[in-house]
């Protein structure tokens, strides 16, 4: 809700701020370049875990696009949430592309935390998803409807609730190291010149049949004769008095 200074104060610590969507950085500067009336107030993060206790259940709240962040539901589940809820509004997107992606992200959140999830959207997809990621009910896009489903209030914690993204980060680092090592092994070695001798270089390959040794000597003699200006040797027939 709006605070004393006119800013919207988030209730939960996990509320993010979207630049130019929920807050405008350097508002005084950009107000001279564009009309900022669509974002009249700036949202700031809150200080809670995202847990919302109610008479019906302890809810873990993911506001709108927070469902796309893998670790947004962990604080509320670790604080005791037994059901996840996602209030959202995708009125900025006329097609089903982004609402469909939001449903997919909600399914991932349900599986990660082992909690059922309820998403309510006035313009996007409203849905009920169980802890296995199965869509139990889903509304049509842009149609007024009411969904009826039974959800479970679940306790306990999954492996992801306990350790988060650590395994994924470790596997990603190992994959990078393995790729670097393989690229080093496949890289050809450069020949090294040691005392006038090239070490590590492959011997030259002879293409075709090599000329006979006599032909090489005669060719060399003819080339030397041309370079020095000498005439080629003449053969002399032996005379009768030889």
């Amino acid at each position: 809700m709006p605070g004393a200074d006119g800013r919207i104060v988030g209730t939960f610590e996990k509320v993010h701020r979207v630049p130019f969507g929920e807050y405008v950085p350097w508002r005084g500067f950009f107000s001279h370049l564009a009309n900022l009336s669509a974002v009249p107030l700036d949202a700031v993060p809150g200080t809670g875990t995202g847990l919302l206790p109610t008479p019906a259940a302890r809810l873990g709240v993911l506001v709108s696009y927070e469902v796309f962040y893998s670790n947004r539901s962990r604080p509320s589940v670790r604080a005791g949430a037994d059901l996840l809820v996602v209030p959202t509004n995708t009125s900025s997107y006329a097609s089903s592309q982004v609402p469909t992606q939001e449903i997919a992200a909600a399914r991932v959140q349900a599986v990660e935390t082992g909690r059922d999830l309820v998403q309510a959207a006035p313009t996007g997809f409203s849905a009920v998803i169980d802890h296995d990621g199965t869509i139990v009910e889903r509304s049509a896009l842009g149609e007024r409807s009411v969904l009826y489903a039974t959800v479970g209030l679940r306790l306990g914690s999954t492996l992801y609730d306990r350790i988060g993204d650590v395994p994924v980060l470790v596997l990603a680092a190992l994959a990078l190291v393995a790729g670097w090592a393989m690229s080093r092994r496949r890289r050809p070695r450069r020949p090294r010149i040691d005392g006038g001798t090239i070490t590590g270089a492959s011997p030259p390959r002879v293409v075709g049949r090599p000329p006979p040794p006599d032909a090489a000597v005669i060719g060399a003699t003819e080339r030397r004769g041309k370079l020095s200006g000498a005439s080629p040797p003449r053969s002399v027939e032996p005379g009768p008095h030889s």
Side-chain angles (χ1 to χ4, degrees), residues 17-242:
R17 295 181 299 172
V18 181
F20 302 101
E22 293 179 349
Y23 88 105
V24 179
W26 305 293
R27 178 180 287 271
F29 172 76
F30 285 110
S31 62
H32 299 290
L33 305 177
N35 182 9
L36 304 180
S37 60
V39 190
L41 301 175
D42 291 335
V44 296
T47 57
T49 61
L51 179 66
L52 181 62
T54 70
R58 291 172 296 181
L59 306 178
V61 182
L62 294 90
V63 179
S64 187
Y65 71 97
E66 286 185 330
V67 75
F68 289 101
Y69 292 84
S70 60
N71 63 344
R72 287 303 86 202
S73 55
R74 287 186 65 226
S76 58
V77 170
R78 291 166 66 92
D82 42 31
L83 178 67
L84 299 180
V85 295
V86 182
T88 184
N89 185 358
T90 57
S91 61
S92 300
Y93 306 96
S95 67
S96 62
Q97 182 179 8
V98 173
T100 300
Q101 294 176 0
E102 190 175 35
I103 287 292
R107 296 178 64 186
V108 174
Q109 293 283 355
V111 173
E112 286 178 346
T113 58
R115 298 295 191 273
D116 291 0
L117 182 146
V118 177
Q119 177 171 302
T123 57
F125 288 124
S126 295
V128 178
I129 303 172
D130 68 10
H131 65 285
D132 291 328
T134 303
I135 300 177
V136 180
E137 293 287 343
R138 190 179 78 170
S139 68
L141 187 65
E143 292 184 4
R144 180 179 299 180
S145 60
V146 178
L147 303 181
Y148 295 92
T150 301
V151 295
L153 305 180
R154 302 183 182 278
L155 302 175
S157 59
T158 64
L159 180 64
Y160 183 81
D161 291 332
R162 293 191 293 269
I163 61 178
D165 294 323
V166 173
V168 178
L169 297 176
V170 171
L171 291 175
L174 291 177
L176 290 175
V177 172
W180 175 81
M182 292 180 64
S183 66
R184 293 280 297 179
R185 291 183 59 184
R186 294 177 179 176
R187 184 178 303 172
R189 297 180 58 186
R190 291 184 177 181
R192 180 172 55 88
I193 300 177
D194 187 7
T197 303
I198 300 178
T199 60
S202 302
R205 293 185 301 171
V206 178
V207 181
R209 297 179 60 184
D214 295 341
V217 173
I218 294 174
T221 303
E222 290 179 353
R223 283 195 297 270
R224 285 198 296 271
K226 291 179 180 180
L227 291 175
S228 61
S231 301
R234 294 179 301 170
S235 59
V236 179
E237 296 290 338
H241 301 287
S242 298

